Amino acid sequence: MTTRFRGPAVLAALAATVLLAAPATAAHALPDTAPAATASRTATPELPRPTGPYAVGTEVLHLVDHDRADPWVPEAGPRELMVSLHYPARSGGGAPRPYLSTEEARLLLASRGLDDAVPADVVAGTVTHARTGAPPARGRYPLVLLSPGFNTPRATLTSLAEDLASRGYVVASVDHAYESTGSAFPGGRILTCTACDQVQAAPDDASERLVLKAVSTGRAADLSFVLDRLTGHRPAWHHARMIDPARIAAAGHSIGGNAAASVMLTDSRVGAGINMDGTFFDPVPEAGLGGRPFLMLGVDGLHRPGGGDPTWDEGFQRLGGWKRWLSVKESGHFTFTDVPFLAEQLGLPVDPTATLSADRSVRITRDYTAAFLDLHLRGRPQPLLAGPTPGNPEVVFQRP
């Protein structure tokens, strides 16, 4: 299934339907198939190693919200979520958790016509650095909720999640049912992107935007439910005592970034947010986000002042309190995910207009995200966020 794209803002926010393939520019729709690729069929890709002082543990939770029917497939029953937890750990534990199941990887590749370019088990076997069953580090840590791009599994934010955990954060990455190419749920079920079909069926731009707004606001409800289950009475995670419920942030890529703002509108427990290159289909209201800090981190083409996505210009003006709008030169929509790092190792095509190296993509995403969180959840001064730095010439501080 290939989602139809119409307007530039829709295109920017939904370019995440492509994995390991080039996102389109604002003027062109995405191709139905990716360019021919010459991929390494045997080499196993590896995510970049975490940079913090902690080892990283990981567990997966299946959460069911019995108070809500699924918004995309009501007949399926209650809303279901899959959540990957990454946390600061001591040494020990079992093997690293697989990046994806083989079927999830197959669907991901097939959605972009890449199933003949690289075997699904190679992508599924991507080497990660968090170990199952690792004993948690002592202490209480801030919590970061992560929401991926539309039609993209949570696995694509694994490098960021592992790095934040190694720096002393508990990270909950969420797969929202029926909103990705394929997400594995208990009972051998693989849920695919029914929400994408509704976007495809929208008769016009306005209708399409309403569906995408519903994606963002629905994810806000999902994230609040995850918070309930991690920090409330009888938490679903047996290491929940690690979480400091007074220090919580939400972040996301593409429409997941819009969801970070959406959950801040409805849930006062979320004290800070990050939007990585996502259109605000659920707009920032005129009253802003209650003065809570917010970081907008995007591509230096579309997401610069006057760059073609007016929701960023409007949203930034409405934000109160601490705020930053950072654009990254030579970047693409997937710069803020695992995609550049994996595509480079697999020999798969990338956006020719996004010439930023995979190493720099990872470093910039990790460092600026961590700096924002350290400043606002830990109160640690961050010169990196004060203005341009010689070591990061690609990062532009926008001052509209």
Side-chain angles (χ1 to χ4, degrees):
M1 188 281 299
T2 302
T3 303
R4 177 183 64 224
F5 300 96
R6 296 188 179 94
V10 173
L11 186 63
L14 295 188
T17 53
V18 187
L19 177 69
L20 306 177
T25 65
H28 301 283
L30 295 169
D32 288 335
T33 57
T38 303
S40 169
R41 293 178 175 267
T42 57
T44 301
E46 180 177 354
L47 293 182
R49 291 189 174 278
T51 60
Y54 293 98
V56 180
T58 184
E59 293 187 27
V60 173
L61 298 179
H62 171 230
L63 301 180
V64 181
D65 186 352
H66 293 282
D67 292 332
R68 286 191 299 151
D70 188 89
W72 311 116
V73 186
E75 62 272 21
R79 180 66 163 166
E80 296 182 76
L81 307 170
M82 296 303 297
V83 180
S84 288
L85 287 157
H86 291 86
Y87 58 91
R90 292 170 283 164
S91 60
R97 184 170 295 279
Y99 188 68
L100 290 166
S101 71
T102 301
E103 181 62 9
E104 287 173 311
R106 186 192 69 78
L107 289 167
L108 195 55
L109 292 165
S111 72
R112 296 314 306 155
L114 290 170
D115 38 344
D116 290 332
V118 60
D121 59 356
V122 171
V123 175
T126 296
V127 176
T128 61
H129 302 288
R131 294 190 171 272
T132 59
R138 294 181 178 86
R140 305 190 83 192
Y141 302 92
L143 172 66
V144 182
L145 303 169
L146 281 185
S147 183
F150 192 53
N151 204 14
T152 306
R154 69 190 190 278
T156 56
L157 297 176
T158 300
S159 171
L160 177 59
E162 289 186 337
D163 191 64
L164 289 174
S166 79
R167 299 186 191 219
Y169 291 88
V170 176
V171 183
S173 306
V174 182
D175 258 348
H176 310 267
Y178 302 107
E179 295 181 21
S180 81
T181 51
S183 298
F185 279 74
R189 295 173 297 150
I190 302 288
L191 305 186
T192 55
C193 195
T194 303
C196 299
D197 297 336
Q198 295 199 25
V199 173
Q200 183 78 15
D204 51 42
D205 286 353
S207 300
E208 189 172 80
R209 286 176 172 275
L210 286 175
V211 176
L212 294 169
K213 179 179 180 180
V215 173
S216 187
T217 56
R219 288 190 177 198
D222 291 344
L223 296 176
S224 286
F225 177 68
V226 172
L227 273 183
D228 292 343
R229 299 298 290 121
L230 291 179
T231 65
H233 183 59
R234 294 184 180 177
W237 184 40
H238 61 132
H239 295 318
R241 64 185 180 278
M242 297 182 69
I243 297 171
D244 181 350
R247 295 185 291 167
I248 296 172
H253 172 242
S254 196
I255 207 162
N258 190 178
S262 293
V263 73
M264 291 179 71
L265 284 172
T266 58
D267 197 326
S268 61
R269 294 173 294 180
V270 182
I274 304 173
N275 180 352
M276 295 181 283
D277 212 49
T279 290
F280 290 101
F281 291 107
D282 182 25
V284 176
E286 290 186 7
L289 300 175
R292 285 168 288 175
F294 201 84
L295 172 66
M296 294 162 52
L297 178 64
V299 172
D300 192 45
L302 191 68
H303 285 141
R304 64 165 62 186
D309 183 354
T311 71
W312 273 47
D313 297 80
E314 177 185 79
F316 189 74
Q317 293 302 323
R318 291 177 171 182
L319 291 171
W322 193 102
K323 60 182 179 180
R324 292 289 186 277
W325 180 344
L326 308 183
S327 298
V328 183
K329 296 177 182 177
E330 303 173 356
S331 65
H333 188 60
F334 291 104
T335 288
F336 313 102
T337 72
D338 299 343
V339 170
F341 210 82
L342 296 182
E344 184 177 276
Q345 294 176 74
L346 292 167
L348 291 171
V350 295
D351 181 359
T353 67
T355 57
L356 190 68
S357 72
D359 284 340
R360 290 297 296 154
S361 297
V362 169
R363 177 65 65 85
I364 288 169
T365 302
R366 285 175 162 185
D367 285 355
Y368 281 88
T369 299
F372 173 84
L373 296 171
D374 281 351
L375 176 61
H376 297 293
L377 298 188
R378 287 177 161 150
R380 299 175 180 173
Q382 298 295 320
L384 189 65
L385 296 173
T389 56
N392 296 282
E394 308 94 339
V395 180
V396 180
F397 281 66
Q398 305 291 0
R399 306 186 189 278

